[in-house]
């Protein structure tokens, strides 16, 4: 083939390569432009959030802390429900669960679903002090919020505390001590309840 016949083919090839390069550059430029727009919008959102939080801090700083907390609906006490006790969740005739019914109460003694953590301890106060504490449990806020329940007459946290392999003394009065740490105010509220070992009812789920 004569060399002059190659020229059109080379020109077509060069044009194709140029077109591909231009297309690639256009796509890259478009992607960078879109990314720049997203970053700009993200910065604007962060600036708005920062402004809102700054204004909230200024507002809170100008308020009397005691009066502010007084105006909040927050727990001032906790009550251990009378149904708290040992239950059989496996229907084997022996206790394998300590069910705690716990109600946070506001200043008017109304039940409120307050966020916080619960620490519970089971004590045999008639035993030697070195072995008087039989068990302890810690319930975090994330787990606690799923345990809220209501009836016609009451509202409470219904918290199952597994006994595992704990041998609970029979026919003995045991003491359940509870500590509730309120996330809103930081208050630590305590209560205790006597548990009588007479029979082991079946838990109704």
């Amino acid at each position: 083939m004569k060399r002059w016949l190659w020229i059109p083919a080379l020109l077509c090839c060069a044009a194709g390569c140029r077109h591909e390069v231009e297309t690639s550059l256009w796509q890259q430029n478009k992607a960078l432009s879109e990314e720049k727009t997203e970053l700009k919008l993200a910065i604007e959102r962060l600036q708005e959030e920062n402004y809102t939080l700054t204004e909230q801090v200024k507002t809170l700083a100008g308020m009397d802390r005691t009066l502010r907390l007084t105006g909040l609906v927050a727990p001032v006490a906790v009550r251990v429900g009378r149904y708290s006790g040992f239950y059989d969740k496996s229907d084997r005739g022996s206790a394998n669960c300590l069910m705690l019914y716990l109600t946070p109460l506001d200043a008017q003694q109304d039940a409120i679903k307050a966020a916080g953590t619960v620490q519970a301890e089971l004590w045999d106060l008639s035993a030697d002090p070195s072995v008087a504490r039989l068990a302890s449990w810690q319930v975090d806020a994330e787990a606690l919020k799923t345990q809220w329940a209501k009836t016609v007459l009451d509202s409470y946290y219904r918290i199952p505390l597994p006994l595992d392999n704990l041998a609970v003394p029979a026919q003995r009065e045991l003491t359940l001590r509870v500590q509730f740490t309120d996330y809103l105010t930081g208050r630590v509220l305590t209560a205790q309840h006597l548990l009588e070992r007479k029979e082991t009812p079946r838990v109704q789920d």
Side-chain angles (χ1 to χ4, degrees), residues 65 69 74-79 102-105 114-121 138 177-192:
R65 183 177 183 275
L69 291 178
V76 298
V78 288
R79 179 182 67 220
L102 184 69
T103 304
L105 302 170
T117 60
V118 171
Q119 180 179 342
E121 296 180 342
Q138 186 75 28
R177 293 178 176 174
V178 179
Q179 177 177 290
F180 177 82
T181 301
D182 176 44
Y183 270 14
L184 181 62
T185 63
R187 293 189 182 118
V188 179
L189 309 172
T190 60
Q192 68 179 41

Side-chain angles (χ1 to χ4, degrees), residues 96-199:
N96 59 8
C97 172
L98 173 54
M99 192 65 71
L100 168 60
Y101 292 85
L102 184 69
T103 304
L105 302 170
D106 65 10
Q108 285 71 45
Q109 297 298 294
D110 293 325
I112 56 174
K113 187 181 180 181
T117 60
V118 171
Q119 180 179 342
E121 296 180 342
L122 181 63
W123 289 78
D124 182 358
L125 298 181
S126 63
D128 186 273
S130 61
V131 293
R133 193 176 75 167
L134 303 178
S136 64
W137 301 267
Q138 186 75 28
V139 184
D140 62 30
E142 191 67 23
L144 184 64
K145 69 180 183 181
T146 65
Q147 306 299 330
W148 186 253
K150 290 184 177 182
T151 65
V152 176
L153 300 177
D154 202 2
S155 300
Y156 43 73
Y157 286 112
R158 183 174 180 271
I159 309 170
L161 305 173
L163 296 177
D164 297 327
N165 297 321
L166 176 65
V168 181
Q171 302 299 327
R172 298 274 288 277
E173 278 191 347
L174 303 179
T175 300
L176 178 61
R177 293 178 176 174
V178 179
Q179 177 177 290
F180 177 82
T181 301
D182 176 44
Y183 270 14
L184 181 62
T185 63
R187 293 189 182 118
V188 179
L189 309 172
T190 60
Q192 68 179 41
H193 182 74
L194 286 179
L195 304 170
E196 294 186 10
R197 290 300 315 279
K198 293 180 179 180
E199 57 181 341

